[in-house]
Amino acid sequence: MKLADLATGSDMIVWIVFGIFAVISIILFSGHGSWFISGYNTASKEERKKYDEKKLCWTMGIGMSIIAIIAGVLGVLPRARKFSFIPAVIMIGVVCVDLSPALDKGAQIGIGAMSIILGGILAIIGSIVEFTKKKKSPLA
């Protein structure tokens, strides 16, 4: 079995990523997903009082919904999947740059950051699968 034989798997990966991020977005927009937010979920109660939890959830919900929309577009437009690694690499890079100061201070990576990194990795895998697909000959 070759990697190119998993072509139907990339469809499933894209829709799984879409579903995960859509659900996380809904949870965050409802204001109940503060435990998804890296750094906020590990902060003390005194630190949490400095921030507006609803606004923080709303902002993270927007970010997660953008990722869900990108995954949805990739699900609807299969030709665009070859380039899904571009937003995935940007996504992972932004999260790593954003988390590096916090990790230096001993903070833990939250489930929100982990889900973004996982989604990016899945998008990169889907992109690799799309690039390795063999084109079907019109004569065959």
Side-chain angles (χ1 to χ4, degrees):
M1 178 180 250
K2 297 178 187 175
L3 187 60
D5 294 335
L6 300 173
T8 56
S10 74
D11 289 341
M12 189 62 83
I13 290 171
V14 170
W15 291 113
I16 289 171
V17 169
F18 171 77
I20 290 169
F21 283 100
V23 169
I24 292 172
S25 296
I26 292 168
I27 292 169
L28 286 166
F29 279 132
S30 70
H32 299 291
S34 64
W35 50 278
F36 277 116
I37 302 172
S38 176
Y40 185 78
N41 61 355
T42 57
S44 65
K45 289 186 179 185
E46 297 161 358
E47 278 289 316
R48 289 183 188 185
K49 289 180 183 178
K50 295 179 183 177
Y51 301 99
D52 184 353
E53 186 175 330
K54 296 285 184 184
K55 284 185 181 179
L56 200 55
C57 286
W58 185 261
T59 303
M60 288 299 295
I62 290 170
M64 293 292 176
S65 61
I66 289 170
I67 297 168
I69 290 168
I70 290 171
V73 168
L74 294 174
V76 174
L77 303 173
R79 288 183 163 189
R81 288 186 203 149
K82 288 184 179 180
F83 305 102
S84 64
F85 69 92
I86 295 170
V89 169
I90 292 170
M91 225 171 25
I92 292 171
V94 167
V95 168
C96 290
V97 167
D98 187 44
L99 285 178
S100 61
L103 293 175
D104 289 342
K105 294 178 183 176
Q108 296 177 351
I109 296 178
I111 193 166
M114 289 299 286
S115 62
I116 290 173
I117 292 170
L118 177 64
I121 290 169
L122 290 176
I124 291 169
I125 291 169
S127 182
I128 290 169
V129 169
E130 286 297 319
F131 269 119
T132 58
K133 266 194 209 179
K134 289 185 179 180
K135 292 184 180 180
K136 292 181 182 179
S137 171
L139 301 175

